[in-house]
Amino acid sequence: MYTLETRKDASQKGQTIKADRLLFQRLHVAQDSGRDIDLKSLLSHELTPVPLSLADTAGRRRPTNKAALGKILEDGVNVEVVPKSSLKTCFIIAGQALVQAIGKPMGSKSFGDLADVFNASVFSHFNEHSSRVDVVFDRYRITSIKSGTRERREGRVRSIRHKIDSREIRLPANWKQFMDLPENKANLTKFLSDQMMLEVKKNRPTYELITAGGFEEETKVASSQRSDVEQLHSSHEEADTRIILHAKAAYINGYERIIVSCKDTDVLVLLTHFAGQLSEELWMRTGTRQERRYVAVHDIQLTPTMQRNIQVYHAITGCDTVSQPIGHGKKTTWKVFQQHGALLDDLGRGTLSESTIRSVEEFFCRIYSPASDETTIINDVRYRMFQKGTTDQEKLPPCRKCLEQHIKRAHHQAQVWFQADVPIPEIESPIGSGCYEGCYEETTPTHQYGRSSANEVTGIVCCKCKNCATSRCSCRAKNLKCIAACTCNNGVCHNPYSVAIEPDSK
């Protein structure tokens, strides 16, 4: 039914699958030859080792175009310059995003030079109304649901570990290769965190800088004014969620305007969901230096159901940790979300129940089925699409068992996002939540639960014999007669199927 090919190529990382493009033709031929094949039962399983609607042939998740969702949310609420205001303002910066934007500065030779450029960018946001700047960094854990995303972004060449213990350490010649190694990024964020605190205390003593995520100790937070930052001691892995925690703390401390500097759509989704719990004015600074824009998050208009479930929608339709169903991006699924967003009400909240899985399954049915079709069972949708001529396995929805693993991954990601305002969130391990632990402790999506059983596959066995005279014939071994799809039909077959010949009407 499919063939497996082992490659040593690093881009494939193990087994890859070459799908049999003639699979559905063989199904029809087998049926026409009188073999007893229950297509509906067969199609309730995946016909390849991984669901091609959710994974590539190496089993990796299908990426999504997150920016498409950003455009939908930003429509009509972005400006080139934030209006002037006397509101007490807090500026929050995603530190790693700023590091990526700065890159290896022209003319900089040492990490001290890099720190000076980084600090200048951070401190430029201090002014008479903006007296506080928060800088938050990502953590780099070995066991992480973002392992696959980071692996895809990294190059094939393993980077060299650099230890940054002084300002005089020279910058590496290959900056990208340096940044590909998580250990280097973690070391760099600690160095920058320390340099920021030294510089602000020395030259900006009247302003407050708060930074977190970049220190060796996961929950450590530093304030240049020695303020009470107990509520910011956090175990969050992602800067995305730390931003929400810091924004909420700033609001509680009397800041009326919050500006978040970040280009990630995930952060915009989080801000949209939590907007009602944050400051009166909530802005997101995004874009590039040449095309800067500010999104007025407080002006984004969604129904209560959509605002409540925007994070769940983003997770289930594709994000950095969950696959996008191929052919169903943010633009097309947004229309389904507008009409059926309530089906996602319980995902990401509490324990994942069978009733929640069924509701999300119905949401998927709405994605793949026309509006007039009220089918709520994904395997039925799969079978009907096949009957209507959809024979490309990538375009068929995943079977129910594989969809359930997809829902588990989305549920786990939504749990992380929903607890963004909790300093020490209680998150279940991703292992078992639609993922398994790989040989290098990285988390990998689980796809194997949808494979067809041997009994269901035997009906489409085709042999490659010359004459089928012995039990080595795969058809004969399964007590089946050879069919037209078998190669033996080009010669003499000793295990032929019989075709009934109708009598001549004359």
Side-chain angles (χ1 to χ4, degrees):
M1 185 167 63
Y2 44 76
T3 59
L4 294 177
E5 181 182 354
T6 301
R7 291 191 178 182
K8 296 180 180 179
D9 181 87
S11 66
Q12 292 296 329
K13 304 232 179 235
Q15 284 192 323
T16 59
I17 306 142
K18 181 181 178 183
D20 187 348
R21 298 297 181 184
L22 300 177
L23 176 62
F24 291 117
Q25 179 184 341
R26 291 166 61 189
L27 282 170
H28 286 300
V29 170
Q31 271 196 319
D32 292 343
S33 301
R35 287 190 181 173
D36 184 16
I37 296 177
D38 186 346
L39 276 178
K40 190 171 184 178
S41 176
L42 185 65
L43 288 168
S44 67
H45 301 273
E46 294 297 329
L47 303 179
T48 52
V50 297
L52 296 180
S53 57
L54 297 176
D56 65 15
T57 55
R60 296 169 298 201
R61 71 169 189 84
R62 296 278 187 184
T64 187
N65 179 16
K66 297 192 298 183
L69 177 57
K71 289 182 179 179
I72 292 171
L73 294 174
E74 288 183 37
D75 187 31
V77 296
N78 58 38
V79 295
E80 293 183 0
V81 180
V82 173
K84 291 184 178 180
S85 172
S86 59
L87 293 175
K88 187 178 179 182
T89 302
C90 173
F91 212 95
I92 303 176
I93 300 171
Q96 194 59 42
L98 180 56
V99 169
Q100 294 287 356
I102 291 174
K104 186 178 178 180
M106 186 175 295
S108 296
K109 296 182 179 179
S110 69
F111 280 98
D113 296 335
L114 171 63
D116 292 340
V117 174
F118 186 88
N119 289 346
S121 179
V122 171
F123 299 160
S124 68
H125 300 297
F126 285 129
N127 57 54
E128 59 178 319
H129 300 302
S130 178
S131 59
R132 170 176 162 177
V133 173
D134 291 31
V135 182
V136 293
F137 292 98
D138 295 316
R139 304 292 298 176
Y140 296 95
R141 299 172 181 167
I142 296 176
T143 302
S144 169
I145 55 175
K146 294 198 74 173
S147 299
T149 298
R150 289 170 180 163
E151 180 182 318
R152 193 180 67 253
R153 290 172 180 170
E154 292 173 7
R156 295 187 179 187
V157 180
R158 183 69 172 172
S159 180
I160 299 174
R161 177 78 167 87
H162 286 70
K163 186 176 182 181
I164 312 167
D165 52 12
S166 76
R167 289 178 55 89
E168 287 68 39
I169 300 297
R170 296 186 68 81
L171 294 172
N174 189 327
W175 183 251
K176 181 185 181 304
Q177 190 175 327
F178 167 81
M179 292 297 291
D180 279 344
L181 192 65
E183 291 90 337
N184 285 342
K185 287 188 280 192
N187 195 197
L188 177 60
T189 56
K190 180 185 182 302
F191 175 75
L192 292 175
S193 298
D194 291 338
Q195 290 293 307
M196 275 192 295
M197 297 309 295
L198 289 172
E199 180 69 16
V200 74
K201 289 176 181 179
K202 180 179 179 181
N203 296 318
R204 307 288 179 116
T206 60
Y207 294 107
E208 181 171 25
L209 173 73
I210 296 177
T211 185
F215 300 106
E216 287 184 9
E217 185 182 345
E218 184 174 62
T219 60
K220 181 178 177 179
V221 183
S223 166
S224 62
Q225 296 292 338
R226 297 186 178 180
S227 301
D228 181 10
V229 290
E230 182 65 29
Q231 72 274 30
L232 296 178
H233 289 273
S234 165
S235 61
H236 291 208
E237 178 184 1
E238 293 289 311
D240 299 359
T241 52
R242 286 181 185 266
I243 285 172
I244 302 300
L245 191 67
H246 283 243
K248 191 169 184 177
Y251 169 61
I252 292 172
N253 290 333
Y255 286 88
E256 304 162 287
R257 171 188 268 190
I258 294 174
I259 302 175
V260 175
S261 180
C262 184
K263 297 193 294 184
D264 195 340
T265 301
D266 293 352
V267 174
L268 179 57
V269 169
L270 285 165
L271 291 172
T272 301
H273 172 78
F274 284 99
Q277 305 174 41
L278 303 177
S279 298
E280 176 184 341
E281 279 196 23
L282 183 60
W283 297 86
M284 179 167 162
R285 180 176 182 261
T286 186
T288 63
R289 184 179 300 177
Q290 292 74 25
E291 297 183 4
R292 182 74 62 203
R293 64 185 187 279
Y294 293 82
V295 182
V297 181
H298 52 275
D299 284 337
I300 294 176
Q301 299 296 316
L302 296 177
T303 66
T305 298
M306 294 178 74
Q307 184 170 11
R308 184 172 68 249
N309 292 334
I310 182 68
Q311 299 178 115
V312 179
Y313 160 76
H314 183 36
I316 200 68
T317 56
C319 59
D320 285 343
T321 59
V322 185
S323 295
Q324 173 195 298
I326 192 168
H328 298 276
K330 300 298 184 181
K331 288 184 179 179
T332 55
T333 56
W334 182 257
K335 297 177 182 178
V336 178
F337 180 50
Q338 288 176 312
Q339 297 177 2
H340 304 285
L343 291 171
L344 305 178
D345 270 347
D346 297 323
L347 195 65
R349 300 170 174 93
T351 303
L352 182 62
S353 65
E354 179 60 29
S355 62
T356 299
I357 292 175
R358 285 198 298 267
S359 292
V360 181
E361 179 182 7
E362 183 176 345
F363 184 82
F364 255 71
C365 290
R366 300 285 75 79
I367 290 175
Y368 279 91
S369 299
S372 58
D373 191 342
E374 297 183 358
T375 304
T376 60
I377 300 174
I378 198 67
N379 284 343
D380 289 349
V381 173
R382 204 172 140 82
Y383 178 60
R384 291 184 185 184
M385 288 179 64
F386 174 75
Q387 283 184 312
K388 293 180 179 180
T390 302
T391 58
D392 189 336
Q393 297 181 62
E394 293 180 346
K395 294 180 180 179
L396 289 175
C399 71
R400 215 281 189 170
K401 291 181 179 179
C402 284
L403 177 60
E404 186 173 329
Q405 298 304 311
H406 177 80
I407 292 171
K408 287 180 179 179
R409 289 188 286 275
H411 177 75
H412 183 273
Q413 179 61 78
Q415 279 187 321
V416 173
W417 285 337
F418 276 128
Q419 297 187 64
D421 60 340
V422 179
I424 310 294
E426 296 182 1
I427 307 295
E428 297 176 358
S429 169
I431 309 303
S433 298
C435 295
Y436 68 91
E437 188 171 17
C439 57
Y440 298 106
E441 297 186 69
E442 80 283 3
T443 56
T444 305
T446 299
H447 296 301
Q448 302 301 317
Y449 291 103
R451 295 276 295 276
S452 301
S453 68
N455 290 336
E456 289 159 330
V457 173
T458 54
I460 56 172
V461 167
C462 297
C463 71
K464 297 182 180 180
C465 308
K466 292 184 178 181
N467 56 29
C468 308
T470 69
S471 60
R472 294 177 64 184
C473 169
S474 53
C475 293
R476 187 185 286 272
K478 299 292 183 181
N479 293 320
L480 298 171
K481 294 294 184 179
C482 293
I483 58 176
C486 297
T487 57
C488 61
N489 281 279
N490 295 323
V492 178
C493 178
H494 289 80
N495 185 44
Y497 68 94
S498 58
V499 181
I501 301 175
E502 297 183 3
D504 194 322
S505 59
K506 294 183 181 180

